[in-house]
Amino acid sequence: MQWTDDAIVLSARKYGESAAILHVLTPEHGRHAGLVRGGAGRRQRGNLQAGNQLAVTWRGRLDEQLGSFTVEMTAARASHWLDDPGRLGALTAAAAVVEAALPERESHPEVYGDFCALLDALDQDPEWARAYVRWELALLADLGYGLDLGHCASTGVTDNLIYVSPKSGRAVSADAGAPYRDKLLALPDFLRADAGGVPPDAAALTAGLVLTGHFLSHHVLEPHGGHLPPARLRLVDRLSLSATTSGI
Amino acid sequence: MHGAEIERLAQLLAKLPGLGPRSAKRAVLQLLKKKETLLRPLADALLKAADAVHECTICGNLDTTQPCYFCSDPKRDETAICVVEDVADLWALERVIDYRGRFHVLGGVLSALDGIGPDELRISGLVSRAKSETVHEIILATSATVDGQTTAHYVVDRLAGCDVMVTRLAHGLPVGGELDYLDEGTLNTALKARRAVDLP
């Protein structure tokens, strides 16, 4: 068995003296693992950093085997953000969430495309944190748990939507949600369908992460015995800290 | 190969870095051939090291004294602490004769895959040391990897409120490195960390 595909590195773990077990996200073969011979060595280690884009060839005698990868780097993304705690935190959180949320060897070309777009946003968009929250919303939608943030679940109105039902994932207007405000999740302005281009502050971004984190945790991870990865929790902590101090 | 003792010795040696089952058996054979000059002294040295070597309660280094040589040497610069991931990194940095400060061994990097969270690292001890009036600089010498730098940023967050300057090692061209052979990531960080050159 053999195939070649583009890939984004999710994680690499040393195996034996010099090999590494690499987990990547590919457009055609989904999340896939394989052994990289020499992957823990000096020449290859830098290529196997989370977020780097590779051209990978997977080989295995049988389809169900771990198999081995040969890799060639196409874009060194990780090194761009080593000095930027926020962007690096978003990258590690995204890689960890994908690794935890996606089943192995199930093709998700949309998730791959969205991940590439997120990497571009981390590179170029000053509002990278907004892009991250929207990426998690898109991931939820790709996995079949899309949120309906355009209409009030109770009244059908499209304005003054400030809550989200933690059960249905649908928006709730201020009036309809008032009696249940303690049980509802906050819907930050920048996630509403009619959101303008005003950059969200750190508090709104944290609210966005709490919202997506709830659905990732309850609908995607916990049914399989998983939890939100520590890297994702640290990203929320960082944004929460920013909300009480200055910028991101 | 016969003998449970020989098998056991080979199995244990094979767990050492750089040794596989076959090379471990060669090492066992060599040890048994040189029983008096190699095997007994090695066994004695191993026992003594097992009894005498401990983790330093201050910095996490491995040494026979408590506190370790680096923490107790009055000639070393007390104002600077170099933070490293592992004792091997400390040994590597100790070869740099320009640095005569103290060290702090974290004991790894944050890694969800390996189950290492902040509580498994010696970060609280570092924060306590950074609060000391004698410490003026914390040098972060973690790896230039995603995990290493994530850990460094976390340590910086934890050092908030401490009256110290925090620095980190530069990333870029290795000495003797030719541009043509360097990977894109190294070149990128080197370019980002470029420095102005004084004109004559």
Side-chain angles (χ1 to χ4, degrees), chain A residues 67-91:
Chain A
S68 64
F69 278 130
T70 50
V71 304
E72 186 178 338
M73 183 144 71
T74 53
R77 299 281 202 161
S79 62
H80 295 197
W81 312 305
L82 290 182
D83 296 338
D84 187 328
R87 285 180 166 87
L88 189 65
L91 169 67

Side-chain angles (χ1 to χ4, degrees), chain A residues 119-221:
Chain A
L119 294 176
D120 289 339
L122 289 175
D123 244 346
Q124 299 153 10
D125 190 351
E127 296 300 324
W128 58 266
R130 175 170 59 186
Y132 179 87
V133 178
R134 286 180 171 162
W135 171 79
E136 284 198 342
L137 276 180
L139 178 66
L140 281 166
D142 287 336
L143 294 174
Y145 302 101
L147 309 188
D148 177 5
L149 306 179
H151 303 85
C152 174
S154 174
T155 61
V157 298
T158 57
D159 55 355
N160 211 14
L161 303 173
I162 62 167
Y163 301 114
V164 175
S165 164
K167 286 187 179 172
S168 68
R170 298 182 66 193
V172 179
S173 67
D175 293 339
Y180 317 102
R181 70 176 74 166
D182 295 339
K183 293 179 180 174
L184 297 172
L185 296 163
L187 173 60
D189 285 350
F190 77 98
L191 290 181
R192 287 188 347 218
D194 60 348
V198 181
D201 59 15
L205 292 166
T206 306
L209 285 175
V210 169
L211 177 67
T212 53
H214 171 85
F215 290 99
L216 276 172
S217 185
H218 284 77
H219 293 279
V220 180
L221 302 173

Side-chain angles (χ1 to χ4, degrees), chain B residues 2-181:
Chain B
H2 297 286
E5 289 77 11
I6 296 175
E7 196 70 48
R8 173 85 176 133
L9 188 55
Q11 277 175 2
L12 290 172
L13 285 175
K15 292 184 180 189
L16 295 174
L19 290 181
R22 290 179 65 181
S23 47
K25 282 176 187 171
R26 281 202 296 275
V28 168
L29 191 60
Q30 196 67 11
L31 286 167
L32 292 172
K33 280 181 178 174
K34 298 181 178 175
K35 206 179 269 185
E36 295 306 320
T37 57
L38 197 56
L39 181 57
R40 289 193 196 282
L42 179 65
D44 190 40
L46 287 171
L47 278 174
K48 280 182 180 166
D51 288 338
V53 177
H54 297 284
E55 267 186 8
C56 174
T57 50
I58 298 173
C59 73
N61 183 27
L62 294 174
D63 205 339
T64 51
T65 58
Q66 192 68 266
C68 73
Y69 162 74
F70 297 112
C71 293
S72 55
D73 183 2
K75 290 179 187 162
R76 296 194 78 91
D77 181 7
E78 275 186 277
T79 64
I81 297 175
C82 184
V83 181
V84 294
E85 291 171 15
D86 201 22
V87 176
D89 300 327
L90 187 157
W91 291 347
L93 275 164
E94 180 50 16
R95 296 200 299 265
V96 182
I97 52 172
D98 284 348
Y99 181 71
R100 306 308 296 168
R102 300 200 189 275
F103 290 98
H104 191 90
V105 182
L106 288 176
V109 289
L110 296 174
S111 169
L113 280 178
D114 297 320
I116 302 176
D119 295 338
E120 277 71 44
L121 303 179
R122 281 187 207 88
I123 297 177
S124 304
L126 175 67
V127 175
S128 305
R129 293 178 76 187
K131 284 178 180 168
S132 158
E133 284 183 7
T134 53
V135 178
H136 298 156
E137 183 180 4
I138 302 288
I139 304 165
L140 298 172
T142 51
S143 307
T145 60
V146 168
D147 285 346
Q149 292 308 299
T150 299
T151 307
H153 293 310
Y154 183 80
V155 169
V156 171
D157 289 346
R158 291 285 301 271
L159 288 171
C162 297
D163 188 20
V164 289
M165 176 170 71
V166 181
T167 57
R168 68 153 175 81
L169 297 188
H171 302 155
L173 298 183
V175 174
E178 295 175 41
L179 296 192
D180 196 23
Y181 290 95

